[in-house]
């Protein structure tokens, strides 16, 4: 197996044993990226010299006996909404096409302290709004398993780059499924942590009550390793939660199960592709075979999730994106004659159609006379959705569902916004309830497209969630399979 | 719940400080009509006894010590400004 396709855990061991160097590994990842990214188009940019100098610094540390742990020397890619000082930060938008981060996000700072090599900037749907990366202002990322199909989104670049061997792990952000859905479509593991576990400082805001940063990896064990490095309280994010961060990787072995696994009937109804249903059912059978108790549960307000989400997320985005006014940073229209003109024209020129649509919808649902009918009502239904989950957790440890109703679809297949929004039907509830959710690869369709299952855990109990996920992933390891490019 | 027909796109675009072309207005009005129609189903839910959830895990009274922390140097803070002069951001005139 070439270096660029190995797992983070394997490479950490090899770096520690000094059978490879970070420079060799980083060179392999760079060469792979140059060889395949013209097809996959996962990257918005990368800085080869900067990556190699970080790798050299890692090798120097290690030679001096000062290695900083398992991430030291590992190239990790960043969704282009997470700030890395001195590097571009575009949100795949014309609005920020020339923006350079003045500082590091907290997750970036943590990864640098852990010695990781901060690698390139990964494509997404503009401002993380979309489920296919087709809304990027720059280019559409391709699914490495079928270049005619989308990688999912919004963190499509993060999922595709990892699947194609262009990074050893990547970071994404998830507001309604933007880590889990592309992970499922690209045969990698994607984790959205509990809201508040990982700092959002230095993450470009989309919907602040829903956004979370999380890792993409090839295995659940890798996910546990990376989560520990990025999690933890941060006083620069006022919604950050004070909670102890356990050694998630060690916990994989310490929590042997068996577990009670809930199957919500609302997630297996109309619209679910039969091949996805069959693959997920096989995973359920596996859990049963290792002694888990499989129980039917009900999440009766599931059908309202998409509606609630598209009120709350658009309302919050219309407020968050008001900062892009052409004054202090970002695109400023050359046509503007006065200050109002700067606002109207800079925003018109800088934002793409999906961002405009969501700003309009969000502004509408917050506008005078409509607030109670839309936003307040949505927040109340959000309570009911959250209560559904908490009620289910009285009788089960985790909930198992499909991640996406279908495998990867063809580019251009969902031109209608509502059809695209319905891609997120199984992932949205987790964000609304603030829960941790992980997508784990669980097979392939007859056409060779990856399928993922979603495991949903209890708040701040990522250690349990990862242990359940690992019990399936360690013996199956679908994520170690690689695409032909 | 309000009828989606009430979406006055000119009014909303003005609130959002967003210039839209006539084509965008027509397209968005139709697409957002579909989305609002989908959203209408929320009116079926009885929420009379339900509290709103703004955050899944609200954190209250987050205090910081009142101690000066280093901030961004002016050059860094201005490095992305579209126009600047004398350590200030330049904008078109605001008042006549």
């Amino acid at each position: 197996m070439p270096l660029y396709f190995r797992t983070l855990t394997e490479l950490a061991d090899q770096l520690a044993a000094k059978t490879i160097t970070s420079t060799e590994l980083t060179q392999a990842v760079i060469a792979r990226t140059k060889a395949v990214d013209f097809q996959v188009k996962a990257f918005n940019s990368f800085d080869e010299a900067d990556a190699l100098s970080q790798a050299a610094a890692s090798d120097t540390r290690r030679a001096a006996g000062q290695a900083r742990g398992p991430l030291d020397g590992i190239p990790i890619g960043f969704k282009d909404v997470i700030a890395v000082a001195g590097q571009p930060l575009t949100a795949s938008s014309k609005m920020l096409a020339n923006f350079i981060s003045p500082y590091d996000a907290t997750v970036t700072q943590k990864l640098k302290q852990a010695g990781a090599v901060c690698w390139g900037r990964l494509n997404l749907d503009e401002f993380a709004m979309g489920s296919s990366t087709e809304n990027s202002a720059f280019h559409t990322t391709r699914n490495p398993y079928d270049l005619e199909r989308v990688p999912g989104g919004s963190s499509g670049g993060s999922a595709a780059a990892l699947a194609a061997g262009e990074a050893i792990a990547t970071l994404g952000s998830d507001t309604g499924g933007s880590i889990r859905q592309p992970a499922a479509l690209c045969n990698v593991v994607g984790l959205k942590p509990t809201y508040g576990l990982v700092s959002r400082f230095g993450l470009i805001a989309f919907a602040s009550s829903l956004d979370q940063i999380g890792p993409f990896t090839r295995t659940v064990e890798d996910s546990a390793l990376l989560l520990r490095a990025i999690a933890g309280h941060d006083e620069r994010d006022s919604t950050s939660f004070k909670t102890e961060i356990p050694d998630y990787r060690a916990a994989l072995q310490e929590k042997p199960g068996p577990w009670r696994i809930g199957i919500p009937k609302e997630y297996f109804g109309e619209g679910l592709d039969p091949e996805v249903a069959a693959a997920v059912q096989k995973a359920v059978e596996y859990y049963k075979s290792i002694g888990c108790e499989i129980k039917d549960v009900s999440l009766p307000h599931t059908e309202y999730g998409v509606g609630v989400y598209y009120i709350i997320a658009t309302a919050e985005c219309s407020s968050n994106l008001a900062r892009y006014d052409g004054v202090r940073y970002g695109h400023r229209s050359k046509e503007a004659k006065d200050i109002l003109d700067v606002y109207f024209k800079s925003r018109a020129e800088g934002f793409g159609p999906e961002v405009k649509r969501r700003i309009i919808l969000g502004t509408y649902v917050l506008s005078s006379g409509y607030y109670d009918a839309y936003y307040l009502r949505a927040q109340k239904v959000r309570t009911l959705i959250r209560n559904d989950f908490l009620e289910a957790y009285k009788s089960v440890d985790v909930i198992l569902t499909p991640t996406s109703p279908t495998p990867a679809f063809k580019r251009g297949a969902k031109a209608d916004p509502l059809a695209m929004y319905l891609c997120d039907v199984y992932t949205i509830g987790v964000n609304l309830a603030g829960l941790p959710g992980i997508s784990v690869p669980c097979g392939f369709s007859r056409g060779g497209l990856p399928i993922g299952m979603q495991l949903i855990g209890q708040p701040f109990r990522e250690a349990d969630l990862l242990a359940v996920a690992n019990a399936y992933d360690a013996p199956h390891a679908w994520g170690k399979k690689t695409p032909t490019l | 719940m309000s009828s989606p027909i009430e979406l006055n796109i000119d009014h909303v675009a003005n609130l959002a400080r967003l210039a839209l072309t006539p084509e965008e207005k027509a397209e968005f009005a139709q697409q957002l009509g579909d989305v609002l129609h989908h959203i209408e189903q929320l009116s079926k839910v009885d929420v009379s006894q339900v509290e709103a959830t703004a955050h899944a895990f609200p954190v209250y009274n987050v205090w910081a010590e009142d101690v000066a922390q280093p901030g961004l140097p002016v050059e860094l803070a201005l490095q992305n400004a579209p126009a600047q002069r004398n350590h200030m951001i330049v904008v078109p005139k605001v008042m006549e």
Side-chain angles (χ1 to χ4, degrees), chain A residues 188-399:
Chain A
V188 296
V189 174
L191 170 66
K192 185 208 87 80
T194 306
Y195 184 82
L197 187 73
V198 177
S199 169
R200 294 181 295 112
F201 180 80
L203 168 70
I204 291 183
F206 162 17
S208 300
S209 80
L210 304 167
D211 297 341
Q212 267 293 284
I213 294 173
F216 285 91
T217 53
R218 297 191 169 117
T219 65
V220 171
E221 190 179 17
D222 285 2
S223 189
L225 203 56
L226 193 46
L227 178 65
R228 191 185 187 199
I230 61 171
H233 178 255
D234 177 14
E235 61 184 25
R236 292 179 297 182
D237 173 359
S238 62
T239 61
S240 167
F241 214 81
K242 280 187 179 147
T243 179
E244 201 173 318
I245 305 304
D247 183 341
Y248 296 112
R249 187 183 174 194
L252 299 179
Q253 314 307 329
E254 291 158 8
K255 295 175 182 287
W259 304 278
R260 298 166 301 165
I261 298 177
I263 309 294
K265 61 176 180 295
E266 293 84 359
Y267 283 58
F268 290 83
E270 198 189 335
L272 178 60
D273 180 280
E275 287 192 270
V276 174
V280 172
Q281 189 54 42
K282 269 186 95 169
V284 172
E285 295 303 325
Y286 176 77
Y287 278 115
K288 201 186 277 180
S289 77
I290 60 168
C292 294
E293 186 184 345
I294 309 297
K295 296 180 82 162
D296 289 327
V297 294
S298 180
L299 302 169
H301 295 91
T302 298
E303 62 175 304
Y304 304 111
V306 172
V308 170
Y309 178 82
Y310 279 93
I311 292 172
I312 291 177
T314 59
E316 293 183 9
C317 100
S318 75
S319 170
N320 272 325
L321 271 60
R323 73 190 65 179
Y324 302 103
D325 56 7
V327 174
R328 292 153 299 157
Y329 47 80
H331 176 74
R332 181 185 292 182
S333 172
K334 291 188 172 53
E335 311 297 320
K337 303 280 188 290
D338 58 32
I339 192 69
L340 272 181
D341 233 19
V342 170
Y343 301 156
F344 278 95
K345 288 184 178 153
S346 300
R347 290 162 67 78
E349 293 169 11
F351 291 138
E354 182 60 24
V355 174
K356 289 178 184 173
R357 251 191 307 273
R358 295 201 195 188
I359 289 175
I360 294 291
L361 182 58
T363 305
Y364 172 66
V365 299
L366 287 178
S367 64
S368 176
Y370 299 99
Y371 178 89
D372 285 2
Y374 287 114
Y375 191 67
L376 190 61
R377 175 172 283 268
Q379 286 195 321
K380 289 180 175 177
V381 182
R382 180 179 185 177
T383 304
L384 297 174
I385 290 170
R386 185 162 181 265
N387 289 348
D388 285 352
F389 280 102
L390 299 181
E391 183 63 31
Y393 287 128
K394 289 179 181 166
S395 62
V396 298
D397 301 306
V398 297
I399 291 170

Side-chain angles (χ1 to χ4, degrees), chain A residues 99-100 195 209 311 327-329 332 344 347-348 356-357 360 370 373-374 377 379-380 382-383 386 434 459, chain B residues 1-2 6 12 14 16-17 19 24 31 39 42 45 50-51 53-57 79-82 89-90:
Chain A
F99 190 92
I100 303 294
Y195 184 82
S209 80
I311 292 172
V327 174
R328 292 153 299 157
Y329 47 80
R332 181 185 292 182
F344 278 95
R347 290 162 67 78
K356 289 178 184 173
R357 251 191 307 273
I360 294 291
Y370 299 99
Y374 287 114
R377 175 172 283 268
Q379 286 195 321
K380 289 180 175 177
R382 180 179 185 177
T383 304
R386 185 162 181 265
Chain B
M1 188 164 271
S2 316
E6 289 176 40
V12 177
N14 182 51
R17 298 289 186 259
E24 284 176 326
Q31 290 168 333
I39 288 172
L42 297 190
V45 188
V50 183
E51 295 279 324
T53 295
H55 273 261
F57 306 103
Q79 73 176 8
N80 291 294
I89 290 167
V90 177

Side-chain angles (χ1 to χ4, degrees), chain A residues 4-146:
Chain A
Y4 52 77
F5 271 141
R6 292 182 196 172
T7 68
L8 199 170
T9 315
E10 287 163 357
L11 291 165
D13 289 346
Q14 288 156 4
L15 286 165
K18 298 187 178 170
T19 55
I20 59 167
T21 65
S22 175
T23 300
E24 285 166 3
L25 173 59
T26 304
Q27 278 171 340
V29 167
I30 291 170
R32 173 68 177 175
T33 302
K34 288 179 169 175
V36 300
D37 205 56
F38 76 96
Q39 294 177 293
V40 181
K41 297 169 173 260
F43 284 81
N44 283 342
S45 62
F46 56 79
D47 186 337
E48 188 177 340
D50 176 61
L52 287 171
S53 93
Q54 294 178 67
S58 168
D59 289 333
T60 305
R61 277 194 298 274
R62 197 176 294 280
Q66 291 165 349
R68 295 176 184 169
L71 294 181
D72 203 336
I74 303 280
I76 294 177
F78 288 74
K79 185 179 185 179
D80 206 356
V81 281
I82 300 171
V84 176
Q87 295 295 333
L89 179 65
T90 72
S92 290
S93 177
K94 285 183 195 162
M95 183 59 85
L96 293 173
N98 300 311
F99 190 92
I100 303 294
S101 294
Y103 54 80
D104 279 331
T106 296
V107 292
T108 307
Q109 219 171 48
K110 282 174 176 278
L111 288 181
K112 284 182 175 174
Q113 278 158 8
V117 172
C118 296
W119 176 221
R121 315 289 312 160
L122 295 160
N123 196 24
L124 62 142
D125 288 293
E126 184 177 1
F127 282 102
M129 299 176 192
S131 306
S132 68
T133 79
E134 291 168 294
N135 294 334
S136 167
F138 306 142
H139 51 258
T140 299
T141 298
R142 313 301 176 85
N143 192 309
Y145 287 87
D146 180 346

Side-chain angles (χ1 to χ4, degrees), chain A residues 441-455:
Chain A
C442 69
F444 287 83
S445 71
R446 281 188 301 275
L449 297 172
I451 295 171
M453 66 165 158
Q454 173 177 237
L455 291 158

